[in-house]
Structures are given as structure tokens and as C-alpha cells.
């Protein structure tokens, strides 16, 4: 019962969307502007740097809190289930008609609480790929692929959860992957045509 309670709390914690709230305060609908995604990158495009920083910080924070709460409410193993739950709650939030973000920031936050060393390695991978390609989406996809690999060496018990999260993250980036293949993906700093 404690595990179920922890999972439910984590899922609904994931439902909170800072970019949606910030956009609404600015008289905008984040789901109808830019890429239509309620994440950090689109918050940057539609609302600016400050909103993007707030969005990233809150999304990372709710990932961390969900995992830590899971460990406190139930047994330590509940942390893994809560990492998956907050991730799913962010991507498919019941309170927002199941239209959320792509899970990168909240996934990073959850990973920070599960194994901070592994999280920082994955963050480094993202940064390197983004710096080389100037494509945030490509960095996120590479991180998705890297997560299960890192889990094998650093957090074996998390591997099944990491595989599910990675598969979902890559699936949510399928349109981006198509644009990357076609050479049409937006790059950081590039002027809009």
C-alpha cells in the first residue's frame, strides 16, 4: 500500500507543468506555440531565458522530490518506481489532458536522486552532443540511448526502469529524429526562416 501511495504521489507531482503555468500568466498557450511541447526548450523559444530556467529547475526538482519521497514513504526500492511514475506523470499528465513534455529534465531530476554520479555523466553526454551539433533533441536522444548502458555499470537494479524511460523518451522524440535525418531540425542560435 505504501508503494502504491508513493507511486500515485510521484505521478501527480509529475503532472505539474511550470511552462504551462508561466505561459498562461503571459497570456499564451505553450501547447499551441513553438514546437507545442511543454518543456524547457520550447519555453526558451516562446517565453524566453528566465522562463526556460524556471521550467528546467522545477522539472528537475519534481523529479528529485518524487524519488526521495518514494524512498521515505515506502522501501528504498520504491525510488525506482517513483522515478518512472514522475516521468510518466510529466509526459502524460492526467490533469493536463495527457499532453505534457518529453521528460528530459524530469528524468534528469529523478536520476539525480537515484544515482547522482550517473546523472552527471548523462548530463555531460547531453552537453557534449548539444555543443557539437547545436541540437538539444539530438543530445536528448543520445542520452536516452546512453541511460540503459550507464545503468548496467552504475545502477543495475535500475536497468529495467531505465530501459522503459529511455524507450519512451526516444519515442517522444520521433518527430525530432525524422527532422534530424532530413537535416531539418532546429539548431540553437539559428535564425528562424
Amino acid at each position: 500500500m505504501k508503494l502504491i501511495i508513493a507511486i500515485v504521489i510521484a505521478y501527480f507531482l509529475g503532472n505539474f507543468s511550470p511552462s504551462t503555468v508561466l505561459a498562461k500568466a503571459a497570456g499564451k498557450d505553450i501547447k499551441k506555440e513553438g514546437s507545442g511541447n511543454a518543456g524547457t526548450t520550447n519555453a526558451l523559444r516562446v517565453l524566453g531565458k528566465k522562463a526556460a530556467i524556471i521550467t528546467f529547475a522545477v522539472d528537475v526538482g519534481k523529479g528529485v522530490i518524487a524519488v526521495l519521497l518514494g524512498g521515505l514513504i515506502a522501501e528504498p526500492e520504491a525510488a525506482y518506481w517513483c522515478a518512472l511514475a514522475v516521468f510518466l506523470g510529466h509526459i502524460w499528465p492526467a490533469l493536463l489532458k495527457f499532453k505534457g513534455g518529453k521528460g528530459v529534465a524530469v528524468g534528469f531530476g529523478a536520476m539525480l536522486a537515484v544515482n547522482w554520479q550517473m546523472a552527471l555523466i548523462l548530463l555531460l553526454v547531453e552537453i557534449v552532443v548539444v555543443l557539437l551539433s547545436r541540437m538539444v533533441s539530438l543530445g536528448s536522444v543520445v542520452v536516452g540511448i546512453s541511460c540503459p548502458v550507464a545503468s548496467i555499470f552504475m545502477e543495475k537494479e535500475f536497468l529495467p526502469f531505465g530501459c522503459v524511460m529511455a524507450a519512451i523518451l526516444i519515442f517522444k522524440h520521433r518527430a525530432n529524429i525524422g527532422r534530424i535525418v532530413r537535416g531539418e531540425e532546429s539548431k540553437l542560435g539559428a535564425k528562424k526562416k
Side-chain angles (χ1 to χ4, degrees):
M1 182 59 73
K2 285 182 179 180
L3 175 60
I4 293 171
I5 291 170
I7 289 171
V8 170
I9 291 173
Y11 172 80
F12 282 104
L13 189 59
N15 276 219
F16 178 71
S17 173
S19 64
T20 301
V21 173
L22 292 169
K24 203 168 188 179
K28 298 180 180 180
D29 185 346
I30 196 78
K31 308 285 178 56
K32 293 180 180 178
E33 298 201 36
S35 66
N37 181 55
T40 302
T41 306
N42 200 39
L44 176 63
R45 289 192 187 113
V46 176
L47 302 169
K49 289 181 182 179
K50 185 178 178 181
I53 292 169
I54 293 171
T55 297
F56 180 76
V58 173
D59 283 344
V60 169
K62 69 188 185 187
V64 171
I65 291 167
V67 173
L68 294 180
L69 274 178
L72 288 173
I73 294 172
E75 65 275 8
E77 291 76 16
Y80 298 150
W81 285 101
C82 289
L84 179 58
V86 72
F87 183 75
L88 294 175
H90 175 84
I91 295 172
W92 292 298
L95 301 179
L96 296 171
K97 300 178 181 178
F98 298 98
K99 294 179 180 179
K102 293 181 179 177
V104 179
V106 72
F108 172 65
M111 192 62 64
L112 268 177
V114 168
N115 185 319
W116 66 267
Q117 295 101 324
M118 187 165 78
L120 293 182
I121 287 171
L122 293 174
L123 177 62
L124 182 61
V125 170
E126 169 100 24
I127 291 170
V128 170
V129 174
V130 172
L131 286 175
L132 292 174
S133 68
R134 291 192 295 132
M135 290 184 281
V136 176
S137 56
L138 181 59
S140 300
V141 170
V142 173
V143 164
I145 296 167
S146 303
C147 180
V149 177
S151 296
I152 293 171
F153 296 100
M154 302 183 75
E155 193 78 24
K156 286 184 180 178
E157 296 83 2
F158 185 72
L159 182 58
F161 301 90
C163 286
V164 172
M165 290 169 70
I168 293 171
L169 188 145
I170 292 168
F171 171 75
K172 291 296 291 183
H173 282 82
R174 63 195 184 281
N176 302 88
I177 294 169
R179 289 194 295 271
I180 290 168
V181 171
R182 296 191 301 271
E184 299 171 356
E185 182 69 335
S186 298
K187 293 187 177 183
L188 288 175
K191 292 181 180 180
K192 292 182 180 180
K193 294 181 181 178

